[in-house]
Amino acid sequence: IRYIDLEETLDNTKIDKIFLNGNKAYSLFIKKYPSYIDRVIKLPSTSSANAKMSLDDLVQQWKVVKDYL
């Protein structure tokens, strides 16, 4: 896995929230950027492999994004 350097961007912009798509994205992000955990919102994966959630449930969970637009 190759990470990009987000510190400068996150420290010098008005990015308040970082939305992460699934557990893997969350764990990788927190491993590399632990100081930004307060900005993170972990959302359920939209992968078709995430069959445990219905489309309606995914939509409900992802609606939180619109609050920050």
Side-chain angles (χ1 to χ4, degrees):
I1 295 173
R2 205 162 27 164
Y3 293 96
I4 60 171
D5 183 7
L6 288 177
E7 282 97 347
E8 184 174 349
T9 300
L10 294 173
D11 290 341
N12 296 301
T13 62
K14 294 181 180 183
I15 296 173
D16 293 326
K17 293 294 176 195
I18 302 161
F19 301 96
L20 299 173
N21 185 1
N23 292 327
K24 188 66 172 183
Y26 177 82
S27 64
L28 291 172
F29 186 89
I30 296 306
K31 179 180 178 182
K32 179 66 177 170
Y33 306 106
S35 62
Y36 299 102
I37 194 167
D38 60 320
R39 297 187 194 188
V40 169
I41 295 179
K42 180 176 69 165
L43 294 164
S45 175
T46 56
S47 167
S48 59
N50 186 16
K52 63 185 170 196
M53 290 191 81
S54 70
L55 179 58
D56 289 338
D57 290 339
L58 284 172
V59 169
Q60 284 302 111
Q61 293 285 318
W62 276 84
K63 281 185 177 181
V64 68
V65 174
K66 73 178 182 177
D67 296 336
Y68 294 95
L69 298 177

